[in-house]
Each structure stands twice: as C-alpha cells, then as structure tokens.
Amino acid sequence: MKKIVAIIFLFVTVFVVSCSKEDNNMGESNSVTGRWVLQEMIELNTMKEVPYTDGIEYTFKADETFTGISVDIDFDGSDVVTKKIAISGTYVLSDNGQKITIRQNGGQTLVFDIYDLTSKKMILRGKFQNFRVETTFSKK
C-alpha cells in the first residue's frame, strides 16, 4: 500500500522550475490574498491531467498565514481512497512577486514559481517528484 499524504502539496512541492521574466504573464493584480480553488493540474511533459485533485484549496490571508484543504490518497490494490484533510501554515511572496514560499505547520517548506496571477486566476509551475506540472487555481 502506497500512501501519498497531502496531495495539495503536489502543487506545493511542485515549484522549483525557473521562469524568466519574459515567460511570466503576471497580471495587473499580484495579490494571492483570498480563497483559491484548484481547477486543474497537468503534467507539462505529457499534458495529461493529474487525477485525485478534487477539493484542494488554499485561503491566503493578509497576515501571511494560510489555511486549506488537501487530499490524502491511499492506493490499495486497484482501489483508490481519498480523504480530505485540513492544513495550515505561513507563506511569503518574493519581492518581485514571482515566487511563493509555503511553510506548512508541522510539515515542510516548499517554493512555487508564480507563472500567472490575476484577480481571478493563479497558475503555478514547478516540479513534483520527477514531473513538471502546472496547476491552475481560480479565486472564489
């Protein structure tokens, strides 16, 4: 049985891929403050959607703390069991607004490249295990 805890950190663990300034499509609003719900996660090498991501979300607060919902995945033979779990911690945006560092309480510190950020959409890119992924969140 293989257990993947906190798939939300799939998108978190994901992001150490570099983006040049020319590649970033930063929108007019560079605020991550608010509730962000995962819409899609794709593997960039294959452009295939990553399964088991339903229900993942983050709420980033102005005081640089966050709360969220992740998904715990349990692969048991041919059955896949998912369970939602609550997460929280702190975050810091880089001075140029192109990276976000997330520190989960009792967990790890992860860095994301912010590929696109507008008032309604946030796209993060990076690496998870051996996969390059892109995650798209919408603001609720």
Side-chain angles (χ1 to χ4, degrees), residues 13-134:
T13 309
V14 169
F15 308 116
V16 184
V17 170
S18 64
C19 291
S20 69
K21 288 183 183 179
E22 300 82 40
D23 289 342
N24 283 338
N25 298 316
M26 300 301 289
E28 292 177 8
S29 171
N30 62 357
S31 175
V32 297
T33 304
R35 180 174 167 236
W36 296 92
V37 177
L38 182 65
Q39 299 300 309
E40 178 182 50
M41 182 181 297
I42 59 170
E43 183 185 346
L44 291 173
N45 296 341
T46 65
M47 301 308 285
K48 291 182 182 177
E49 189 168 349
V50 176
Y52 318 119
T53 57
D54 289 342
I56 294 174
E57 67 177 64
Y58 280 99
T59 300
F60 294 106
K61 301 173 186 170
D63 66 356
E64 295 186 337
T65 63
F66 77 89
T67 58
I69 298 172
S70 182
V71 178
D72 184 18
I73 301 174
D74 186 3
F75 295 95
D76 187 15
S78 62
D79 295 330
V80 176
V81 179
T82 61
K83 179 176 81 170
K84 292 183 181 182
I85 57 172
I87 56 173
S88 63
T90 61
Y91 74 94
V92 176
L93 285 175
S94 64
D95 289 339
N96 63 6
Q98 293 183 349
K99 290 190 183 289
I100 185 169
T101 302
I102 297 177
R103 294 175 183 92
Q104 182 183 6
N105 291 336
Q108 55 189 328
T109 298
L110 304 152
V111 179
F112 305 82
D113 288 327
I114 300 173
Y115 179 73
D116 190 8
L117 178 60
T118 67
S119 62
K120 298 186 187 282
K121 180 173 74 171
M122 177 169 58
I123 299 176
L124 304 174
R125 284 188 175 176
K127 198 170 192 175
F128 175 72
Q129 295 176 351
N130 293 324
F131 303 100
R132 290 185 59 237
V133 297
E134 178 176 284

